[in-house]
Amino acid sequence: MTAARVRAAFADAGVTGTLHAIDLDHPDRELSVGADDPVVLASVFKVPLLVALHHSAHDLTDRITLDHHRSTGPTGIGGMLDPVTISLRDLAYLAITVSDNAAADALVDLIGLDTINRTTDQLGLTRTRIVHRARDFMRTMAEDAAPAEPPAALTDPVVLSRLRALDPDQTNRSTARDLTTLLHHIWHHEECAPIRRLMALQVWPHRLASGFPFDDVRVAGKTGTLPTIRNEIGVVEYPDGGRYAVAIFTRSASTAFTLPPADAVIGQAARLAIEHLR
């Protein structure tokens, strides 16, 4: 019944979606809506990146300098004009809290895509593959949109139909179930405590957190966004000690960049799922 209500909420918001939710302390208690379907990660790829980083031997207080050749983006270092010298842990902070592409790509350049995928393999995330940096899928979108130019081209359904960045077979991919497995790992291993802290500091309140507008309920998450794609994974913690991981991936029928119902349904679906588990 709850799964049907989630599907109806997705339809009412003009999206298709997949969802997986688990009780972190009793992971056999779950709710699934297409949880094993392949999905486009978008910026959610930054979470497995940070897990791989924190499982590596790197000293996170080490500092590196990013010059004018760094990746671009609308937030964080990606939007700055001058060279920046910064620690690895502060790059991780920016990659999660404001989804800074330049910060994330600097970390990928440091540890390598193979290290991320080896980490996901070790965690049993068999449907998860990270094949691109943020700058790579931005480059492929520009290539695939040509001769039209973003951003206007990215509202054209014909252009969108040929973007590799929107095809799970050709970009960073996973499933909702794999991502709740990853969240379970993050919330049960002390070396991942810094990641839990960063996800709780994410600045975007319009998706997962919108479903839990209570002062005593804590939400920690990471969004992902591409044309027609709106995602979020995260953990919701209640004052009675209940902890629930949820991963939601959506794709909208509308190509509009601003689509509040498609954002809000992520919080709505998460609330339905977690109330079911509770």
Side-chain angles (χ1 to χ4, degrees):
M1 179 66 74
T2 302
R5 293 176 65 195
V6 168
R7 292 189 184 94
F10 286 151
D12 288 345
V15 305
T16 56
T18 69
L19 173 150
H20 194 240
I22 61 170
D23 183 326
L24 280 175
D25 299 303
H26 306 279
D28 56 320
R29 295 169 56 189
E30 64 174 344
L31 182 71
S32 171
V33 177
D36 298 306
D37 295 344
V39 294
V40 172
L41 285 177
S43 281
V44 172
F45 94 91
K46 295 163 185 173
V47 179
L49 162 62
L50 258 63
V51 173
L53 175 69
H54 282 79
H55 282 301
S56 74
H58 289 283
D59 182 346
L60 300 190
T61 65
D62 285 349
R63 297 165 68 83
I64 63 175
T65 297
L66 304 185
D67 60 19
H68 295 102
H69 299 291
R70 62 182 176 258
S71 301
T72 59
T75 58
I77 295 170
M80 296 178 185
L81 300 178
D82 299 312
V84 174
T85 299
I86 188 170
S87 69
L88 302 185
R89 64 183 175 184
D90 284 341
L91 287 172
Y93 166 80
L94 290 172
I96 294 296
T97 59
V98 297
S99 206
D100 183 347
N101 287 341
D105 281 357
L107 294 173
V108 178
D109 290 342
L110 177 70
I111 69 173
L113 293 170
D114 287 346
T115 296
I116 304 171
N117 289 314
R118 186 161 54 248
T119 300
T120 58
D121 286 345
Q122 291 168 350
L123 296 178
L125 310 183
T126 60
R127 304 290 299 278
T128 301
R129 268 294 172 272
I130 310 302
V131 298
H132 291 315
R133 297 161 177 80
R135 65 175 176 265
D136 297 327
F137 55 71
M138 298 303 290
R139 172 184 51 79
T140 67
M141 285 200 294
E143 291 173 353
D144 296 342
E149 294 186 1
L154 299 181
T155 61
D156 183 338
V158 175
V159 172
L160 294 181
S161 70
R162 61 178 186 254
L163 297 189
R164 284 168 283 174
L166 304 184
D167 179 357
D169 290 333
Q170 301 185 74
T171 191
N172 296 339
R173 57 190 176 271
S174 188
T175 66
R177 189 184 305 277
D178 265 15
L179 270 297
T180 57
T181 301
L182 182 65
L183 291 170
H184 185 275
H185 175 83
I186 293 169
W187 256 256
H188 283 85
H189 289 80
E190 192 54 34
E191 64 267 33
C192 293
I195 305 174
R196 301 195 294 269
R197 170 182 170 269
L198 297 182
M199 292 179 69
L201 295 174
Q202 180 187 227
V203 302
W204 318 122
H206 60 312
R207 291 184 183 165
L208 180 58
S210 70
F212 305 90
F214 313 111
D215 290 342
D216 58 354
V217 176
R218 183 183 184 198
V219 178
K222 179 69 196 82
T223 62
T225 308
L226 285 171
T228 72
I229 300 288
R230 293 167 179 83
N231 307 328
E232 188 158 1
I233 69 169
V235 168
V236 180
E237 301 185 55
Y238 282 76
D240 63 6
R243 307 183 302 168
Y244 308 90
V246 61
I248 301 175
F249 297 85
T250 75
R251 188 159 185 173
S252 64
S254 170
T255 62
F257 288 124
T258 302
L259 204 61
D263 291 314
V265 77
I266 291 176
Q268 180 185 359
R271 178 83 172 272
L272 288 169
I274 291 171
E275 287 182 345
H276 170 78
L277 295 179
R278 287 175 65 79

